Amino acid sequence: MSSYTSEQKSTIVVVIITAFAATFTGSALNLSIPAMGRDFNVSASMIGWVVTSYMLTVAALSVPFGRLADVTRKKKVFLPGLLIFSVSSLSSAFMWDFTGMIVLRALQGVGGAMIFCTNTAILISAFPGSERGKVLGYSVASTYIGLSAGPVVGGLMNHYFGWRSIFLLTFVISGMVFYTALRKLPEGGASEHELSFDILGNLLYITMIVALMYGFSAISTSRASVALIAAGALLVVAFVWHELKTEYPIIQIRSFTGNVAYAFSNIAALLNYGSTFAIGYLLSIYLQVVLGYSSQAAGLVLITQPAVMALLSPYAGNLSDRVSPFLLASAGMGCCAVGIVFFIFISTSYPLWLIILALVITGIGFALFSSPNTNAVMACVEAKDYGVASSILATMRSLGHTSSMAIVTLVVGMYMGNSALASAAPEVLIKMMHTSFKIFAVICLIGIFFSAKRK
C-alpha cells in the first residue's frame, strides 16, 4: 500500500475494519444460538429470528440507503449507520425479553444496511478501475477474517462469559471504527449528477421486500404468510411499473434487462449466498446439539471455511483484474456446490475430517466467487451509480442470507414444529439438515448456470 495516497490508505483502513466488525457479530452469534434458545425459552423455529430479523432489515433498506448515499455524500449515510450499529449492539447485551431482542436486531440491521450500501462504493470510488479487484480483495478478506474470528472468539466468549459478551465486544469494535471513520474517512464529493430521492419508489421497495421475505420466513408458523407473499408479488409488479416510468428510479430496471452480465452477476450473488449462508448455522447445531461439542470446540471446527476465504480472497481479487471475473466466480460456485454435497451425508458417525474438508472446499469456492463477482458487477456500471450498484449487491447478499435462513426455518418447522432444540432427537435434527442441504445444493447448481451464462 506504499504507493497509495494518504486518503486512499485511510479509506482502505476504515472499510477493512468496518467489513470486519459488520460480519463478526453474525458469525459469532451462530455459536450462541443453542444457548440463546435456552435463555429465552423459545422454540427452534423462533430462535432463528435472531438471525433473520437482522438480515431482513438489511435486505429491505440497503437499496433506499444506497440511493440516499448517491443523492448526498456516502459518508453522511456511512457514519450514522456505524453509530446505530454500535448503540444497538450495546443495547442487545442488556436485553432480557425475546421480542425486545428481535427489535434490537432489526435496529442493528438498519445500521448494517447503511454500512453495507456504502462501504464498497466508498472503497472503489477512491481507486482507479485497474486497482478495483485488488482493493476489493482486501475488503472481502477482512470480511472473511471477521467470519473467521467470529466462531473462535464467539465460541470462547459464549463458553466462558455468555452470549451477551459478544454484543459488548461488537459495541467496542464498532465504536472504535466510528471514531476512526469520523476522523480519517475523506468527505468525498457530492454527486455531480442531478438526482432525486424517489419516496414512493422507496416505500414500494421496502414494503415489497418485507412482505415477501417475512411471509416466506414465517410460512411454517403463521397463517397470514401466504397472503403476505401474494401481496409482495403484487408489489413487485407495482414497483417495476413505477420504476420504469419515473425520471429518477432507485433501481434502473433497464440495467437488468439490457445488460445480461450485470443482471446475471446479481442473480448469481443471490443464489450463492442463498445456498451457503445457513451452513454455519446448521453445523453449529450439528456440532453442539447432535455431537455434544462445546461452543468453543465447535468454533474451532467452523473457523476452517472463513479462514480459507480470508487467506485466498486477496489473491482472487487481484487475479480478477487479469483473468475473467466471470470465469473465476463460476469456478467458485462449483466448489461451493461440491462442499454442500458433502454435508448432505452427515450423520451421528460422520468423520470430522470430512466436515473440515467440505468447509475447506466451500471456503475456496467463496474466495473465488466473492471479490471477482463484485468486480464484475461494479465494472458494469458508471461511477455515478456506484452507490446503488453497491447497495443492490448488498441487497442480493442480504436477500440470499434471509432466504437461506427462511428455508432452514421452514424445514425446522416441518420436522420439529414448536419443539426446542435441546429436546430434539438427533435423528430428527439429522433429517432436517439432510433436507436443508439438498435444497441448498439445487440452488447452488442453478447459480452456476447463471454465473456461467453471463459472458
Side-chain angles (χ1 to χ4, degrees):
M1 288 199 300
S2 58
S3 62
Y4 296 150
T5 66
S6 175
E7 284 196 349
Q8 286 176 327
K9 290 178 181 178
S10 296
T11 300
I12 290 177
V13 169
V14 168
V15 170
I16 282 177
I17 299 174
T18 304
F20 171 87
T23 54
F24 169 81
T25 309
S27 60
L29 282 178
N30 273 343
L31 273 298
S32 304
I33 290 299
M36 294 179 77
R38 290 192 298 270
D39 285 358
F40 286 116
N41 192 30
V42 294
S43 67
S45 58
M46 286 299 295
I47 197 61
W49 280 98
V50 171
V51 177
T52 302
S53 58
Y54 173 82
M55 293 301 171
L56 177 58
T57 310
V58 172
L61 297 180
S62 287
V63 168
F65 279 129
R67 185 59 174 178
L68 183 62
D70 280 339
V71 171
T72 59
R73 284 184 171 90
K74 295 174 179 61
K75 187 175 178 179
K76 289 185 177 181
V77 175
F78 184 75
L79 282 177
L82 274 173
L83 185 61
I84 293 170
F85 188 85
S86 179
V87 172
S88 58
S89 298
L90 178 63
S91 302
S92 297
F94 300 98
M95 176 55 65
W96 294 89
D97 176 71
F98 183 69
T99 302
M101 174 58 73
I102 299 303
V103 171
L104 284 174
R105 285 289 284 161
L107 183 60
Q108 198 173 33
V110 174
M114 298 171 78
I115 292 169
F116 291 135
C117 75
T118 50
N119 62 347
T120 299
I122 287 171
L123 183 64
I124 64 174
S125 294
F127 294 87
S130 59
E131 296 274 344
R132 185 185 293 126
K134 185 177 181 180
V135 295
L136 283 172
Y138 292 146
S139 176
V140 172
S142 180
T143 296
Y144 292 144
I145 290 171
L147 291 171
S148 302
V152 177
V153 177
L156 287 169
M157 294 184 73
N158 179 66
H159 184 75
Y160 290 107
F161 307 110
W163 56 265
R164 295 178 186 278
S165 62
I166 296 171
F167 284 109
L168 289 174
L169 180 60
T170 302
F171 164 70
V172 172
I173 295 173
S174 55
M176 292 171 60
V177 176
F178 175 76
Y179 177 74
T180 303
L182 188 64
R183 291 180 62 246
K184 295 189 175 183
L185 191 67
E187 282 293 332
S191 174
E192 298 177 358
H193 304 267
E194 184 183 356
L195 297 172
S196 175
F197 192 73
D198 178 15
I199 295 176
L200 177 58
N202 280 279
L203 290 175
L204 284 171
Y205 179 85
I206 293 169
T207 310
M208 169 186 78
I209 295 295
V210 171
L212 284 173
M213 300 315 300
Y214 180 82
F216 187 36
S217 299
I219 200 166
S220 64
T221 57
S222 173
R223 293 180 180 178
S225 59
V226 176
L228 279 173
I229 293 171
L234 291 175
L235 285 168
V236 170
V237 176
F239 174 75
V240 171
W241 178 78
H242 174 77
E243 292 297 283
L244 286 173
K245 73 181 185 66
T246 190
E247 185 178 0
Y248 297 108
I250 60 170
I251 295 178
Q252 288 285 357
I253 302 297
R254 292 182 180 86
S255 296
F256 288 90
T257 58
N259 190 331
V260 173
Y262 181 72
F264 279 20
S265 294
N266 277 287
I267 294 172
L270 171 66
L271 296 173
N272 181 261
Y273 292 116
S275 63
T276 55
F277 178 73
I279 289 175
Y281 182 88
L282 290 171
L283 290 183
S284 172
I285 295 172
Y286 171 72
L287 293 169
Q288 293 184 76
V289 181
V290 177
L291 299 186
Y293 284 33
S294 67
S295 59
Q296 68 180 108
L300 290 173
V301 174
L302 293 179
I303 191 179
T304 308
Q305 176 180 301
V308 172
M309 299 176 196
L311 181 65
L312 297 181
S313 289
Y315 299 102
N318 199 9
L319 188 61
S320 71
D321 286 328
R322 302 190 303 274
V323 179
S324 169
F326 306 107
L327 179 63
L328 291 175
S330 299
M333 287 202 75
C335 289
C336 289
V338 172
I340 292 171
V341 170
F342 273 87
F343 296 129
I344 291 174
F345 301 100
I346 59 173
S347 65
T348 53
S349 58
Y350 201 62
L352 185 61
W353 69 267
L354 278 178
I355 294 288
I356 295 173
L357 175 62
L359 288 170
V360 168
I361 294 171
T362 53
I364 294 171
F366 255 122
L368 290 174
F369 178 82
S370 295
S371 48
N373 191 69
T374 302
N375 194 5
V377 168
M378 303 311 282
C380 293
V381 300
E382 299 177 24
K384 69 181 179 67
D385 295 319
Y386 278 168
V388 168
S390 175
S391 61
I392 289 174
L393 194 56
T395 300
M396 293 299 116
R397 179 175 61 242
S398 300
L399 285 175
H401 290 174
T402 308
S403 300
S404 193
M405 286 303 302
I407 289 168
V408 170
T409 302
L410 177 60
V411 175
V412 167
M414 288 169 49
Y415 281 94
M416 297 176 57
N418 293 321
S419 301
L421 280 174
S423 63
E427 295 78 13
V428 175
L429 290 174
I430 292 293
K431 288 180 180 178
M432 177 269 290
M433 292 176 193
H434 285 172
T435 301
S436 298
F437 283 124
K438 287 175 183 177
I439 295 171
F440 293 146
V442 171
I443 294 173
C444 199
L445 290 173
I446 296 172
I448 293 173
F449 168 81
F450 280 99
S451 185
K453 287 290 184 180
R454 57 187 160 177
K455 195 72 173 178

